[in-house]
Amino acid sequence: MLADAGIGEWGFAALVEADGHRILFDTGARPDTVLQNARELKVDLAGVRDVVLSHHHGDHTGGLVTLRREYAKADPEALGRAWVGRGIFLPRAAGPYVGMMTAVKSGYEAAGGRFVELDQPRELFPGVWITGPVPRVHPERNWPAAGRISTDDGTVEDNLPEDQALVFDTDRGLVALFGCGHAGVVNTLAYARRTVRDAPVLAVLGGLHLFQKDDATLDWTGDRLREFGVADLLGAHCTGLEAVYHLRSRLGLDRRHCMVGAVGASFTLDAGIDPLSLAR
Ligand SMILES: [Zn+2]
Ligand SMILES: [Zn+2]
């Protein structure tokens, strides 16, 4: 893979390949970033039917309509089914992406796409799980402070109730892929161990929204991840640069097993993390 291919942005998307099944997880921020990066990285999204959206924020849902429109030209099924957590369509009264899902929903459905809402874990393919909304057992508060949800009785704090992750049940343990991790990486992994399998967590990948956290919170998070057995950590998007290196140290990992994720980075079960040149 070319080390300098693709353009970066404040957004997230990942292509999952598992036992011949392919899933697009999140769709980037700007309408055509993922479309262009897929071309540059020589990743063909044709034949991918399922999209999983981690939550409603525009840095994860901004490319959905463009991608659906483009790929549906050749294949009406392409990217035609979007799995979302219950709560994603709640009306937002304040926050960075008020009105975002209303626009994404109408655009996607007008392009022939269909949403499937989850309120509990769902095994999409054998061993490939979408968590659905995650119970907030531990006091993680990994979401933007300004968000509000409209209710009949006024507004309430938006803790991203729909936030969900992908979990892969492999013979070496669980692998988890996060969008922003607003439900909390510890809450999500604890829930996965309860609902998917009570196994060690081999790898944590994606955005963990820890970039504003203080050292005490990062210590606590690192200690929980260590208890879960985390051996690989690719901290992308909103994880935060300082947070990645803090967790590396707290988890006792080395530079081959914990690093910052960027455009084109990958994780495979056999080879582990390939961050490309710059993050190595
Ligand atoms: Zn995000
Ligand atoms: Zn977010």
Side-chain angles (χ1 to χ4, degrees):
M1 188 167 289
L2 295 171
D4 59 353
I7 50 172
E9 63 172 15
W10 180 278
F12 189 74
L15 180 66
V16 171
E17 300 181 327
D19 296 337
H21 300 288
R22 301 200 302 155
I23 303 164
L24 181 63
F25 180 74
D26 285 344
T27 62
R30 299 180 193 197
D32 55 1
T33 299
V34 173
L35 187 64
Q36 290 186 14
N37 281 356
R39 286 175 182 153
E40 270 194 47
L41 294 163
K42 310 221 181 313
V43 170
D44 188 4
L45 297 177
V48 177
R49 181 175 185 203
D50 291 294
V51 184
V52 173
L53 295 179
S54 60
H55 64 302
H56 80 277
H57 282 161
D59 48 345
H60 301 255
T61 59
L64 179 67
V65 177
T66 305
L67 288 162
R68 164 64 192 170
R69 282 193 193 133
E70 185 62 27
Y71 283 93
K73 289 176 189 167
D75 172 10
E77 301 271 281
L79 307 174
R81 193 164 59 170
W83 300 86
V84 297
R86 181 86 64 202
I88 197 169
F89 298 118
L90 288 172
R92 264 64 189 199
Y97 301 107
V98 170
M100 184 75 206
M101 269 326 279
T102 310
V104 169
K105 185 172 189 292
S106 60
Y108 186 61
E109 289 177 344
R114 185 172 65 87
F115 287 100
V116 186
E117 266 185 280
L118 300 176
D119 47 24
Q120 58 187 23
R122 168 79 171 243
E123 192 173 21
L124 191 52
F125 302 112
V128 178
W129 290 79
I130 311 171
T131 62
V134 174
R136 311 296 172 90
V137 175
H138 301 283
E140 296 175 291
R141 295 181 57 81
N142 300 350
W143 58 81
R148 308 287 297 174
I149 296 172
S150 296
T151 75
D152 291 343
D153 303 317
T155 69
V156 296
E157 182 177 29
D158 184 3
N159 69 352
L160 286 300
E162 75 271 22
D163 190 69
Q164 58 184 6
L166 272 178
V167 176
F168 311 94
D169 185 6
T170 82
D171 53 11
R172 295 188 217 168
L174 304 181
V175 173
L177 176 60
F178 291 82
C180 274
H182 291 310
V185 58
V186 175
N187 279 325
T188 305
L189 293 177
Y191 189 50
R193 282 157 55 95
R194 215 165 69 238
T195 56
V196 174
R197 189 159 65 94
D198 187 8
V201 178
L202 174 67
V204 171
L205 316 166
L208 304 181
H209 208 84
L210 295 170
F211 67 102
Q212 292 167 315
K213 293 302 176 190
D214 59 20
D215 288 354
T217 304
L218 294 174
D219 284 346
W220 178 86
T221 305
D223 290 346
R224 301 291 85 70
L225 297 186
R226 192 173 189 138
E227 288 166 6
F228 291 149
V230 172
D232 281 293
L233 175 63
L234 184 63
H237 183 40
C238 54
T239 306
L241 305 185
E242 175 60 27
V244 170
Y245 297 115
H246 195 109
L247 290 174
R248 175 198 275 178
S249 146
R250 195 75 180 182
L251 280 157
L253 298 177
D254 63 24
R255 60 189 291 172
R256 288 183 52 244
H257 295 93
C258 177
M259 58 210 111
V260 174
V263 177
S266 63
F267 171 84
T268 52
L269 210 47
D270 288 336
I273 299 170
D274 179 1
L276 303 183
S277 310
L278 197 57
R280 206 176 294 276

